[in-house]
């Protein structure tokens, strides 16, 4: 099973999920976008300098999309994580992308976010609060 | 041309675009999700009361999705508006939905939001700051 | 909006939904499979007699499928009704067909059936108990 | 060849098919939904308790769907089994899902069920009465 | 309903079906490939002369395909007619095209042809022997 | 029939095809990209000035693509014209876009260009040298 | 590369192509329908006897289709062979199936058949007369 | 990651990209069309001689398309190279093919070509000037 981990990069939820699956000896491959914020913003810099922030962002976002769209199209399941800071529109964008392609995804966020995330949760297969719950669902989906 | 207007419901950007297109006698049909916040939150209430906020939101979001997903699938162009308040994850979700289906969309937001919206903008056909610009692009796309 | 009405043929739920939408002046086109049980079973008889019940059923079911599959593929919304009698596997089949095509559908059934219908309900946009509720959702989806 | 085994969980038809294919040294991978009824009903419990049966079922069905929809989308052939008890709407749902995706499936049921299953059988590639027949068809499809 | 009439051009089966549907006041649009054999063979001649029969055929077949593929892709039902003469591979080709796109089709041929047509019939929704039977099925599919 | 006219903007081939179809009273709707070179290059200027030619071109090309991709996706036939000047990569791009979507297209160019256009011609339904030939093929495809 | 070999079963063209590719050490997997005529006609017999030839054929053709449609959907290239005897409508059907799915195929037949096969050849990537030519094209497509 | 290298055959850009990825130990498979100009033009010669240049080109282009279309459909990323000579319409055609299928591609060309390539660049994920830049983007897409 190939699992795409999307969203928040400021806590270690990815590590927890990966370790949790390892501990259960699950046959899972994980893929993420670049989780190093500065390196991600600089993804397009090798193509030449830009004088405006917009085009620098634009180029980097398009370079990052090579990896991200490929990850979504080829994954069997996505986990979309929303933390309590920042706009995190890229995570919601990934969820919409999954929904349109009929790719199953699990959202991972606190109860405090359920109202603004109601559209995103409504198309999800599950809403989890902790990485442990995500691990349980992945484990169950592989060996029910 | 059928245009889906997605996102912010606290300013009159929809009205401005519709009036602007009317003034130019453009043959455009507009469609939106329910823009009345309270009525939207209550969309599923007719199906019976819920004791938790999560399931009330869930039911309403799914009922709203009947209209929204149909709008995205049948539109020729989407306009995705981000204001300066609230999470607006549904707008980013709609953008991702469009991107996965190869539906063209225009983003409409201030310059202050370009960095957190870089992934959303990177898959857009255009980024506009004002409703007038959106009207110009619609006009041009119909009668170049 | 084109609405496909699938399932139970022994109560007047179709009439109630159609009349309810008429009373609200909603612009809806309804389509159903043949709801006359005997005529439906005889749909293939014009192609020649069969000596076994299986092949008679087979021919009729395939002739009926011309109308049914076309209805599902072209509808904007389906209503899938389960009554309290009979197997009604064709209704569940139609629901699965909708789910695979990402077509939104509403289930209509009593609370007593929620457990055996949990997979069918899980892919639905809404579960209704009465035709009036279905009318409300259709009305809302057209004019929120 | 990847074969998805859907439906009845109260007799040992799955075991018979798997053993039959083993005995013929066929290169087949089998996949099923969770066939432990209680565990299947509890699939979503790890995500938190629910106060109503409907939402407990809903959560579990959605978690189960991660496995089931993936199985249908990736299988080369499905076997859909109907026993003589229970509603078994999930089996008919799976058949409709297969039909919409043009996935070939074989139905496995007694002659007594042919009339209520006529729509399900009409889209099938074959109707079998015994697991042995299914094994023969799988064997033939691999080594004709 | 849009019906594509494919195959044999030496008997008046098309006229019989069209008249039969007219007599029943059915709302049907019919479309066919060019049924004038010589004009069909000459479809590409306006593009310049060819020195070999193969390339003349090739050009004409490609020009004819503009009309034929469009007809298949947009029709709701196809009728594929096999007569007792000639190879009629284009008719079988159209049937395969329909099958791959999940377009329903009815075959129309004598009993003497059932064995060589078994693959073509196996993917059809019905096998008819007379144009009257086809008219009945079209009528039933519109007004069951 | 909806026909998309792509490519060269320096001769009056579009007018000749449109007039030719008018003269034959054919029911055809024509659509083109913006054929005014300067206006096309300025399509994105309303979104704000750019300091580099690349990004000005980029914005304009994306705005133009709203119209062009919509035209290709909804047309029934495309005519792709190559003249004797300029690079005309947009025309070849449109042809590849058509080929991937299985949309039929006719190329229109002189014999001198057949070698460099061999890949583009190989996926076309026809190669024409004059607008009159294109008119004949359109006429034949509508009324063979 | 996976190559599907469709059509005539009375000469050894399949063996020639397979041996030719072996001699060139090409990494090719070949797949065919059942080429034993009697066994193919009996493919459905294990499901129970039929009293009419039509339904026996029907059942066998559907069982054979499990293998054939899977072969077409997963192959990278098809070779469609027409001999000088029999109707061979299944071969033309397979070609139409390929064409609708945009699967490349090569036809293999004598010059005497080019006129009745003009539609089938028009959608092919190549027309070959001998198995050696097919081998050359496969070799070239792998190692140009 | 599977990368398709399309376009110019007169400089060693392919070798530079392949060596660059090798030097970084990247797990990449490269595929190209036949880059030997004369052999490519002769791809269809084994099928028999032609008396006109057009049909010779046609046959060879169709044989080459077996490899090229397969490459595009199965690659994860394409690199489309435009040099300063020749028409190179096949490269633009490949870019359009990618765009219609939502396959990400990078263009590789000098700044002098940005204006005529603006439509091709507008659908690309990145524009690179040197093979080194392409290597960096591939490396980043694999190990960000």
């Amino acid at each position: 099973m190939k699992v795409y981990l999307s969203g928040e990069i400021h806590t270690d939820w990815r590590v927890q999920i990966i370790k949790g699956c390892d501990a259960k000896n699950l046959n899972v491959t994980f893929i993420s976008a670049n989780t190093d914020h500065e390196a991600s913003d600089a993804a397009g810099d090798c193509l030449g300098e830009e004088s405006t922030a917009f085009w620098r962002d634009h180029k980097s976002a398009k370079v990052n999309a090579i990896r991200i769209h490929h990850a979504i199209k080829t994954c069997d399941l996505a986990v979309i994580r929303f933390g309590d800071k920042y706009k995190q529109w890229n995570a919601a964008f990934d969820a919409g992308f999954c929904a349109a392609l009929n790719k199953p995804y699990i959202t991972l966020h606190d109860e405090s976010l359920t109202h603004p995330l109601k559209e995103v949760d409504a198309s999800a297969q599950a809403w989890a609060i902790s990485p442990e719950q995500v691990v349980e669902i992945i484990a169950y989906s592989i060996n029910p």
Side-chain angles (χ1 to χ4, degrees), chain A:
Chain A
M1 182 180 258
K2 188 173 171 184
V3 177
Y4 170 57
L5 304 173
S6 170
E8 196 214 23
I9 56 175
H10 301 90
T11 64
D12 70 341
W13 66 276
R14 279 183 180 81
V15 174
Q16 289 185 53
I17 289 175
I18 294 168
K19 283 195 179 163
C21 288
D22 275 358
K24 287 176 186 277
N25 279 319
L26 300 174
N27 186 10
V28 186
T29 314
F30 293 98
I31 184 165
S32 288
N34 189 347
T35 58
D36 177 329
H37 195 159
E38 284 187 28
S40 170
D41 285 358
D45 287 359
C46 70
L47 296 167
E49 246 177 290
E50 293 300 326
S51 52
T52 69
F54 180 78
W55 292 119
R56 187 197 177 214
D57 279 347
H58 197 73
K59 285 203 309 190
S60 291
K62 284 191 143 184
V63 166
N64 281 316
I66 295 174
R67 181 174 174 91
I68 294 170
H69 294 189
H70 184 257
I72 296 180
K73 285 179 189 163
T74 59
C75 75
D76 301 312
L77 178 69
V79 181
I80 317 275
R81 162 73 183 160
F82 293 88
D84 52 2
K85 284 185 204 154
Y86 309 104
K87 296 295 191 182
Q88 307 180 77
W89 283 320
N90 57 323
F93 182 87
D94 283 359
F97 205 100
C98 286
L101 299 182
N102 237 347
K103 285 275 173 188
Y105 65 90
I106 301 169
T107 57
L108 174 62
H109 58 81
D110 286 352
E111 191 155 9
S112 58
L113 298 179
T114 54
H115 191 62
L117 280 171
K118 67 180 193 293
E119 286 85 4
V120 176
D121 284 345
S123 291
Q125 292 307 110
W127 160 46
I129 294 179
S130 71
E132 290 74 30
Q133 289 174 326
V134 174
V135 171
E136 271 209 56
I137 305 234
I138 292 173
Y140 178 83
S141 296
I142 294 174
N143 304 312

